[in-house]
Amino acid sequence: MFKTRITELFGIQYPIIGGTMMHLAMADYTAAVSEAGGLGVLASANFKDMGLFRQALKDIKQKTQKPFAVNLNFFPALNQIDNNLSLDVMIDEGVRIVESSGHRAPEDLIGRVKKAGMKLMHKCVGVRYAKKAESIGADAITVVGYENGGATGTLDITTLCLVPRVVDSVKVPVIGGGGIGDGRGMAAVLALGAEGVILGTKLLLAAETPLHPEIKKRLCEASELDTQLILRSLGNTHRVWKNETTLKVAELEAKGAALEDLLPFISGMITKEKFQQASDGGMLACGQGIGLCRQVKPMAELLRDLAGEAQAALKRLNRLLPD
Ligand SMILES: Cc1cc2nc3c(=O)[nH]c(=O)nc-3n(C[C@H](O)[C@H](O)[C@H](O)COP(=O)(O)O)c2cc1C
């Protein structure tokens, strides 16, 4: 249905990347995206134990024969994992595609990635970061506008402006996202010149995503007004689902709270636990596209519907053109 440099580069059916997600992008989620025809991205940062990381890679390969990727995390973290150790395991297990994301391009690891014959896509939020990643040898660039769920950086550029700017600034294929809630958004990002799209928020509602059903139900009722930016005071701005936890974090930040005061609300352990409870969901990254997400569906149906809607949107636009 869609043929782009991204579908060719990664050998996937749909030009859809299933955004990596802290605590959620485990083996089941990753395999489900790939098996559905997109590219699933396992979050290596979920695995401090390299034995469990290796097992997750084996699990994915057992669940799907299709291509998948692994994210290497370059965001600041309290308990930083050595990406070199993750890369050792990835090379050993034959991972073919790497995604890097965070506050810098993976200059220190690109040599190893290339030597192992892996493809690299780097995710960022601005033109200069995209150009930097291309200059060190990234095979594709992912950019997300600040509507997106998760880290937004500090530039605050919308998807509508950022994607074409990056498309015009690099030669490698671009994957665009931030705020895609349905196939119309997917078609729009492709119209901006991207050759692939990335979604995170929409996939929170996939049946295979390991979030408590009660949280998914509440997300189905959320609108585009139900997200907020937090953690800017720590230089780590995130767009999250607005709830009791995040309103408290924002209140503390406004009072000049230090990291220690915020930790009881934002620590990884607490966040992870809350995802499994019928609670307020804790600090759950979530983009403005949530206002367009209304139904929990199996991943295969979700991706099929998305691609179908995008195709319908493109046909509708075509009909607007007189012969
Ligand atoms: C719950 C959640 C967790 C995420 N965790 C990460 C992460 O650990 N690393 C990362 O690079 N991106 C992370 N993201 C961002 C996604 O991979 C993707 O870039 C983003 O969700 C796309 O924008 P959208 O949410 O508007 O679709 C996360 C997103 C969500 C919704």
Side-chain angles (χ1 to χ4, degrees), residues 8-26:
E8 300 285 291
L9 182 68
F10 297 145
I12 50 178
Q13 182 189 353
Y14 301 128
I16 299 174
I17 314 300
T20 201
M21 296 194 210
M22 198 61 199
H23 309 307
L24 300 173
M26 309 297 278

Side-chain angles (χ1 to χ4, degrees), residues 19-22 75 101 123 148-149 178-179 198-201 204 284-285:
T20 201
M21 296 194 210
M22 198 61 199
F75 287 102
S101 62
K123 185 165 66 176
N148 87 105
I198 183 165
L199 302 106
T201 298
L204 290 174
L284 175 64

